[in-house]
Structures are given as structure tokens and as C-alpha cells.
Amino acid sequence: MNTGPEETAGPGGPHPAGCGPHPDGLRRFATIWSRAVYPTTATCMTRAEFEEHLVPLAELLSSTLHARPFDPGPARAVGTALVAAHCTAPESLPQILGVVDAYLLLYCADPALLPPEEGRARCARLQHAIAAGFARALQERTRAEQESLSRAALAAQSEIERALHESETRFRAVFEGATIGIGIAALDGTVLETNRALNDMFGDTERHHLSSRKVTSWVHPDDGPAVWRMYDELVRGEREHFRTEKPYHRPDGTVLWTHLTVSLLRDPDGSPRYMLALMEDITERRLLHLRLRYEATHDALTDLPNRTLFFERLEQTLARGAQTRFGLCYLDLDGFKTVNDSLGHAVGDQLLVAVAERLQTCVNGPGQLVARIGGDEFVALVADPACSGDVTDLAERALEALSTPVLVDGRELPVRASIGIVDGPAGERTAAEVLRSADITMYRAKAQGGNRYELADPDSDARVISRHSLTNRLPAALEGQEFFIEYQPLVRMSDGSVEGAEALVRWEHPRHGVLGPDRFIPLAEHTGLIVPLGRWVLEEAVRQACEWQVRGIGGTRPLRVNVNLSPRQLSHPDLVAETVAVLENAGLPPHSLCLEVTESAMIRADDAELKPLRQLAELGVGIALDDFGTGYSNLASLRRLPASTLKLDRSFTRGLQHHPADPVDLKVVEGIVSLAHVLDLSVTVEGVETAAQAEHLRALGCDSAQGWFYARPGPPERMAVELPLAAAH
Ligand code: C2E
Ligand code: MG
Ligand code: MG
């Protein structure tokens, strides 16, 4: 009790006995009571409000105290009311009772009505009643609180369950409905659950196959090298996830390719619990990708690897460094252009396919690759040959494989090829340098007659001018007037007189000296520069013929000039107009010009393409079928050509070099000559080198001849000098 002596003094102090409880006494009691009890309450009332609240309780105690007969029962209500006013702290009840015990009789009893002895007895009983009411109320309140707590707990519990259920449903819906495959596995690799998409991917609609299998049983030979290492790290909790492309065997034996993401699921306390795998089926995408990659790296005609793939491989091989070796065979068909030109592209294509198949049979070892890198150009790469012999063996096998003619459309086509071989330690040269060396070497093989292989040699590489640099210089050469023409006489067989000359172009190359047309005409043809170059040759040769005529060289029969025309010029739309303009400008009669077109180019041409030649022929310009016998022309088809002359290729005259001549060659030439005459074509033979040849050919009825026996090609001035020489033969 913390009420001091001053509490007992003042205006509300004890009053004289005999006049009932003084109202001020009740108020005073309430004040003291509230001071003692208020600090122990948890009420939200103010101190004054609390005191006000206690006044009626004091009145109730006072009336109960005085009631006769005495019944302490109503005092219970005071205990109940105090509990209701939140005076429920452990020290509340002692405070409450202490004030009642000390001050109730003093301030709330009328000594006149209640003798002190009885008053004390009643006060004690009132305290019991207050305590009983208090205890009961407290008990009920606690029970009520517990009930409401447990009701709240119950409500909360079902709320959690509902939320859990909802999230579980949501998870199920996502899991089952996902288009991406989802699988959950324990850390020991056992598959616990898989969704429908995943089962579908595996073709496992019954869901037997996947669950309870071990993740580790899905090892595939094409697994990336890091997959299982990352898996182990994940299981050990050293990484949170990994991503990879991974193949799986399906139960039906096919392969499923997936984009796989595996994540580690941890407990709330952070220790690894499950693995979550998300899989996307990329089989189709991968197939498409592979197909596109295949198409980008293979030749559509032969199905061989193409230039792109070959370069990739060559670069990889060369990148391995000088401790490994490499070997390369660069193969180019001999005379393929003739096949293509005279028999058509369809036949040419079939020939290439057959060649590809045969070459494929020659490479058998690992690290060997055959590719087609251009029209009739093939390469064979040997990644790590034991010795140079391995590479030359391969070249020999290739030539051997091509040695039997290829049968196309019932026709036997002989195939020959020239091969350039480069081999050596990797890591010294770039792919482009290696290929250039192989190309140069291949040309060396061709220059030596073809159908053979040659080995690269750095010294000759350095001397050889690459086709590439020649091609690049061609335009400047034309501009800079580096071309000039030599003339080779054409001799009449009947009397040995000169009827004209063939204009043969040469290139005076500033670094490499004089280059023959075989070196640059194909390049000019390829780049299209042949058109202006050919025009220049025509103008120059026509001008030269005019000059001879004006100077009276050739006597009564004016000299003719033969000018070669390449296929590209043949199809040029201005051919007729330009040729006519050149003749008119120079003032040369059309019959003093003969245009030479190779047999293969002419045979290939259709009627529309032959039209310009026909027009020129009608104007009087001679048309010669050059290099006759090297193509595959059907003799009967000669009738439809506007040719006036047939130039028999040098290869026919070879067998006539000696006495006695090869009887078969004699027969062949005789047959061609008589057939040509039937078709009203004159016959010129090329490459006459010996008197014997000249004699045979004259006897066989050839009309004219050309060759070293009479004169080599030379400057125009030589015509005047050599004419009497030629006539002397
Ligand atoms: P072609 O028209 O068949 O020319 C004949 C070739 O045979 C010439 O070679 C000539 O020098 C060579 N020759 C002549 N007599 C003999 C001989 O007795 N024995 C040997 N072994 N060869 C002989 P060239 O000058 O190297 O010309 C090669 C080819 O270049 C020509 O063959 C022709 O197709 C082409 N060509 C030359 N000049 C031109 C031109 O101005 N324009 C075009 N489009 N092509 C040309
Ligand atoms: Mg010619
Ligand atoms: Mg010729």
C-alpha cells in the first residue's frame, strides 16, 4: 500500500460517526483506490476517468457493507467490474484489497449504523467476495481469450491450408500445363516427378519410363565434355545451375536433343535438396541447323564438302602447329572445258559426279577429306600423313581411279587430271599460301602434258606468276598497250604460196616477259576483258592486213588474216556491227578476214547464237572451225554450221610425222578431209612441223597448212621476208 498519511487528511477526511457514509468519503475512497490500482491496470482510461469509474463501485461496497441482513454476494460484482476494467496484472488484486481493507470502513461506513467490530468482520467478508468475483472474472476472461485465440488460430490454420492448396494448385497447373519439359530429381539422381511435356518429349505417354530412373543413366556419347562435371558440382552445392545442349536416347531408339537448364533447389536453411531440370526439345531446330550447315558446306552437285568446309579443315589442320604434318592434292581435270562446251553442261555435270565418286573411294583414312572447290577442281586433304609417300600414294590412287573412261549417256568419256601436291609441317604457311602453291604446282603438271602429279617446290613457286596477279593486271595491260600480235603464215598446199596469216596475241609483261595466250586468254575470258581485248586484236589485225594489201605483199592474191574469237565474244550482241565497222573503217573486203571459232564453242551454240556468225558469213567473212577433232562433235552436225573452213587439230598430224605414217591416222585424216569437202569446207591443218607431215597432208587433199615447218608466229614485218621462204617448201 503506498497511500501516505496525507491521504487520510483533507476535506474528504473521516467524519464524525452517526450520519452514514459521507458522499465526500466515497469520493475520497475512490481517489485513494484509483491511485493505488491505476498503475497496475492495462486500461485505456485516463486516471480521472478510472477514478470516476470506481465511484459507483465504492457506493456498491458501502451499501453492501450496511445492508441488513448482510450479504457479501453483491461485492463479487466489484471484482468482476475491476477485471473488466483491465485491472488484471498480478499485483492488481493485492492493491485493490489493500485499499478496501484500510479505507473502506474509514471513508464508507457509518459508525452509527455499523458497530466497528461488525464493520471489520463485514469488511473482511466483502474482500473475500471481491476476490472471488475477481478470480472468477479473470478465469472467464482467460478462457474467453484462449477461446478466441484458438478460434483465431483455427481460422489462421485453415487460411494457411487454403493458401498452400492454392499455391500447390497453381504449381500443379504450371507444372502439368507447361510446354517446356520439367523434371524434379533427388540429389542421388532419382527422378521424382516429370511433367507431361517431358514425357511427351521422350515419347513416354504412359509415364513408365522416366520416373524413378537415375539421371546418371542418361549418359550419351554426344554429351558435351563439361556436362557431367557441372552436374557433379551442382549436386555438391558448388553451383546453382548450369545450361547446356544435351542429347537423350528415347525408348524407341531415336535421339532427343534438348536445351537443358538444371537448377539446384535448397532447403530454407540452405542445404541442397532437389534438382529441377527444364528441357526444351530442340531436335527439329537442330536438324534444320544441321541441314543448313550441311548445305552451306557441301557441293549440291557432287555432295562432296565444298570450298568453305575444305578451308575450315585446312585451317584447323594448319593450326595444329609444326609438330604435325599435312598433305594436300589439288586436282584439276584436263580438258573438262571441252567436254562442257561440246557435250553440254548436263554431260559435264554427270562427269563431275562420277569423278567425285571415284575420288571419294581413294580417301579411306581418318583425317582425309575430298572436296570440290571449283568447277572441275577437287582437293584431297590428309591431316597427318606419316610421310610424303602417303600423299603421293593418294595422288597415284586418284589418277588410277580416273583412268577408266566414264560412261555418260552411253558415251565413254576419257578422264585425265593434273595434280599439284603440297606437303610439309603445319603451322608454317596460311591456308591461302598452301592453296596457291598447290595451284601453281598443278599448273606445272598440266604444262608437262597433264594426267600426272607434281610436287610443290618453293623455288618454282617463287618463279611462277599466280593466275590471280595476272588477272588483276589485265585491265592495266590493255590500257598500257602491253599486248602485241604475232602472225603465223597459212600456206596453200597446192603450190606452197601464202594465202594469209593467223593473228596470235601475246602479252609483253613488264616483269615476266612475253606471255603466250594460253596463260591469259582463259583469264580474260573469265573476267570478260576478252571483249575489249578481242576487239583490239581484230582492229589491229584488220589494219595489218590492209597494210599488207596496200604494200602488195602476197602479190596478185591479197593476203587474208585469221583472227581468233572466244566464246564470250561470240555471244556479244555487237559482234556483227563492230566487225562490219572495223572492216569498213580499215577498208578491208570481208573475204580478207576469217574468224576462227573453236569447234567446242560452235557445236555448243544453238541457232540463235549461230545467227551472228551466219550473218558475217553471208557478208563474205570466212568462218573457220578451229582445233577440229578435240571436241566431241558429231560430224553430221557440221552441216548446220556457217563454217567455210575446218582447221584440223595438231593431234591428228602427230601420227604423220614420219615415213611410213601411222595407217590409222592416215585413214582418219583422209576420212575427215573427204567429208569436209563433201560439205564444201576447205581443210587447213595445224601444227605441221616436218616435211613428212606436209607431204602426207598434201597427198590426203588438205587445202592449206600452218606450222613451224613453214614458219613460226612472228612480227608482221616477217611476212614480207618469209613469203618467198614459204613458197620454196
Ligand atoms: P590456235 O588458234 O589453235 O592457234 C594455234 C596455236 O598453235 C598457236 O599457239 C601457235 O603458236 C601454235 N602453233 C603453230 N604452229 C605450230 C606447230 O607447228 N607446232 C606447235 N606445237 N604449235 C604450233 P598460241 O599462239 O600459243 O595460241 C594458242 C591459242 O590461243 C590459239 O590456238 C588460240 O585459240 C588462242 N589465241 C591466240 N590469240 C588469240 C586471240 O587474239 N583471241 C583469242 N580469243 N584467242 C587467241
Ligand atoms: Mg586459231
Ligand atoms: Mg587451232
Side-chain angles (χ1 to χ4, degrees):
M1 246 342 263
N2 55 0
T3 46
E6 80 281 358
E7 301 285 352
T8 58
H15 53 87
C19 37
H22 193 282
D24 282 350
L26 286 178
R27 163 69 54 193
R28 189 74 197 137
F29 177 80
T31 304
I32 296 166
W33 215 14
S34 105
R35 257 194 218 154
V37 178
Y38 187 77
T40 71
T41 68
T43 177
C44 51
M45 288 181 261
T46 62
R47 185 57 206 275
E49 284 167 348
F50 184 67
E51 189 181 315
E52 217 47 53
H53 189 73
L54 293 185
V55 173
L57 301 183
E59 282 167 0
L60 177 63
L61 283 180
S62 171
S63 60
T64 312
L65 185 67
H66 293 95
R68 290 196 186 275
F70 174 68
D71 174 14
R76 287 166 179 257
V78 174
T80 307
L82 288 169
V83 168
H86 301 284
C87 309
T88 49
E91 62 279 16
S92 294
L93 188 60
Q95 291 288 60
I96 292 165
L97 298 182
V99 173
V100 171
D101 189 47
Y103 298 99
L104 184 67
L105 290 180
L106 189 59
Y107 289 105
C108 305
D110 183 351
L113 300 176
L114 196 61
E117 204 58 19
E118 196 183 358
R120 269 196 300 279
R122 285 191 177 191
C123 183
R125 302 229 2 230
L126 284 183
Q127 286 177 50
H128 286 141
I130 293 170
F134 188 92
R136 172 130 203 122
L138 198 58
Q139 194 180 34
E140 268 170 19
R141 194 179 126 148
T142 307
R143 202 177 54 234
E145 267 173 6
Q146 271 170 356
E147 269 171 19
S148 83
L149 254 177
S150 59
R151 261 201 311 279
L154 213 64
Q157 176 79 15
S158 55
E159 176 59 25
I160 287 166
E161 273 167 12
R162 197 185 53 76
L164 260 177
H165 180 72
E166 226 170 60
S167 87
E168 168 75 8
T169 317
R170 259 204 306 273
F171 170 73
R172 281 281 139 215
V174 171
F175 185 78
E176 274 306 312
T179 48
I180 200 161
I182 309 176
I184 297 172
L187 287 185
D188 69 356
T190 311
V191 176
L192 302 174
E193 245 188 305
T194 53
N195 75 343
R196 192 181 311 129
L198 191 70
N199 292 291
D200 288 351
M201 278 182 205
F202 278 83
D204 182 28
T205 41
E206 305 299 320
R207 297 197 172 197
H208 297 322
H209 176 66
L210 298 178
S211 317
S212 74
R213 260 190 80 159
K214 289 272 190 198
V215 170
T216 42
S217 68
W218 275 301
V219 174
H220 191 280
D222 291 336
D223 281 341
V227 172
W228 294 104
R229 179 178 52 73
M230 293 191 291
Y231 174 84
D232 289 339
E233 287 169 4
L234 186 107
V235 171
R236 290 198 301 266
E238 292 165 10
R239 65 160 60 230
E240 294 308 307
H241 48 75
F242 66 87
R243 216 168 263 162
T244 185
E245 282 190 4
K246 178 169 163 35
Y248 290 89
H249 287 297
R250 290 202 186 94
D252 68 359
T254 57
V255 175
L256 163 73
W257 270 92
T258 65
H259 189 101
L260 172 69
T261 308
V262 183
S263 307
L264 183 65
L265 301 183
R266 292 176 183 271
D267 271 353
D269 65 8
S271 38
R273 280 297 292 276
Y274 302 109
M275 287 177 284
L276 173 73
L278 302 180
M279 280 186 205
E280 195 189 346
D281 183 348
I282 56 163
T283 314
E284 287 293 316
R285 207 193 306 160
R286 199 182 138 84
L287 283 177
L288 180 72
H289 176 80
L290 288 179
R291 210 186 72 224
L292 291 179
R293 158 93 189 149
Y294 186 87
E295 280 168 12
T297 54
H298 287 77
D299 170 40
L301 177 67
T302 61
D303 228 19
L304 285 182
N306 66 8
R307 198 179 178 82
T308 311
L309 184 56
F310 164 70
F311 258 92
E312 271 177 28
R313 288 290 172 79
L314 179 60
E315 275 164 3
Q316 282 167 8
T317 307
L318 295 178
R320 288 197 204 151
Q323 64 282 10
T324 59
R325 296 181 66 81
F326 77 97
L328 181 79
C329 297
Y330 188 114
L331 180 149
D332 186 285
L333 297 184
D334 297 337
F336 176 71
K337 190 169 167 355
T338 311
V339 174
N340 228 6
D341 286 350
S342 47
L343 300 179
H345 288 286
V347 173
D349 284 356
Q350 289 184 58
L351 184 71
L352 290 174
V353 171
V355 167
E357 282 169 3
R358 292 190 186 181
L359 292 179
Q360 190 83 69
T361 62
C362 302
V363 296
N364 32 32
Q368 299 191 356
L369 171 94
V370 172
R372 179 182 174 216
I373 60 168
D376 61 344
E377 293 164 24
F378 297 84
V379 281
L381 177 66
V382 188
D384 201 1
C387 59
S388 297
D390 277 6
V391 191
T392 47
D393 281 355
L394 175 60
E396 269 164 23
R397 281 205 303 279
L399 291 176
E400 174 61 29
L402 297 181
S403 63
T404 355
V406 171
L407 196 66
V408 177
D409 286 348
R411 196 192 295 254
E412 278 198 346
L413 301 176
V415 190
R416 293 152 54 94
S418 301
I419 301 177
I421 298 176
V422 184
D423 77 331
E428 288 182 353
R429 282 175 286 179
T430 65
E433 284 165 355
V434 168
L435 209 65
R436 178 176 176 272
S437 173
D439 182 57
I440 289 169
T441 312
M442 182 274 289
Y443 267 89
R444 192 142 48 79
K446 246 189 219 305
Q448 285 168 29
N451 205 28
R452 70 187 63 220
Y453 67 80
E454 286 291 325
L455 290 164
D457 132 44
D459 292 342
S460 72
D461 276 16
R463 268 182 273 117
V464 171
I465 329 118
S466 78
R467 288 186 292 163
H468 182 71
S469 69
L470 281 188
T471 308
N472 286 347
R473 250 203 76 82
L474 271 175
L478 186 59
E479 192 94 325
Q481 302 186 334
E482 289 171 13
F483 294 102
F484 67 97
I485 299 175
E486 285 191 325
Y487 296 89
Q488 187 177 32
L490 293 155
V491 177
R492 285 190 194 88
M493 283 261 154
S494 53
D495 58 3
S497 62
V498 173
E499 60 176 12
E502 179 174 3
L504 296 162
V505 68
R506 276 93 181 81
W507 180 1
E508 171 82 71
H509 193 285
R511 267 190 45 219
H512 306 297
V514 175
L515 303 178
D518 287 340
R519 298 289 294 278
F520 61 87
I521 291 291
L523 308 180
E525 171 79 13
H526 187 68
T527 59
L529 198 85
I530 191 66
V531 173
L533 177 61
R535 193 185 301 130
W536 176 81
V537 172
L538 179 72
E539 278 170 356
E540 181 54 26
V542 164
R543 193 200 54 74
Q544 188 57 60
C546 253
E547 193 186 309
W548 288 328
Q549 291 191 3
V550 169
R551 286 172 54 195
I553 297 168
T556 50
R557 288 179 291 188
L559 290 185
R560 192 184 77 206
V561 71
N562 279 24
V563 173
N564 292 286
L565 217 58
S566 75
R568 193 117 170 197
Q569 290 171 278
L570 203 57
S571 57
H572 196 275
D574 297 335
L575 176 67
V576 177
E578 277 185 359
T579 308
V580 170
V582 167
L583 288 171
E584 282 177 357
N585 282 346
L588 190 76
H591 61 260
S592 292
L593 172 67
C594 176
L595 296 176
E596 297 192 2
V597 182
T598 57
E599 176 199 10
S600 49
M602 202 156 0
I603 292 293
R604 188 183 46 164
D606 60 20
D607 279 346
E609 286 163 328
L610 288 177
K611 199 172 157 205
L613 283 186
R614 197 160 276 130
Q615 286 175 333
L616 288 169
E618 280 161 7
L619 286 171
V621 174
I623 307 291
L625 206 54
D626 203 357
D627 300 343
F628 184 82
T630 55
Y632 297 84
S633 47
N634 172 351
L635 290 178
S637 71
L638 292 178
R639 291 181 73 167
R640 68 179 189 97
L641 304 178
S644 49
T645 304
L646 199 149
K647 287 189 81 173
L648 203 56
D649 188 67
R650 210 167 65 228
S651 51
F652 288 94
T653 55
R654 267 193 215 117
L656 311 178
Q657 268 170 347
H658 309 289
H659 274 297
D662 183 300
V664 177
D665 279 342
L666 274 179
K667 278 278 167 223
V668 171
V669 175
E670 189 182 9
I672 294 175
V673 171
S674 61
L675 179 86
H677 285 163
V678 169
L679 295 170
D680 212 13
L681 296 166
S682 71
V683 177
T684 304
V685 277
E686 296 181 324
V688 179
E689 293 179 351
T690 65
Q693 285 172 314
E695 185 48 37
H696 287 303
L697 292 161
R698 201 183 52 75
L700 288 171
C702 294
D703 301 283
S704 50
Q706 178 183 359
W708 297 347
F709 172 64
Y710 304 101
R712 296 217 174 208
E717 309 76 70
R718 284 244 305 269
M719 285 297 282
V721 183
E722 280 173 0
L723 279 182
L725 273 178
H729 283 294

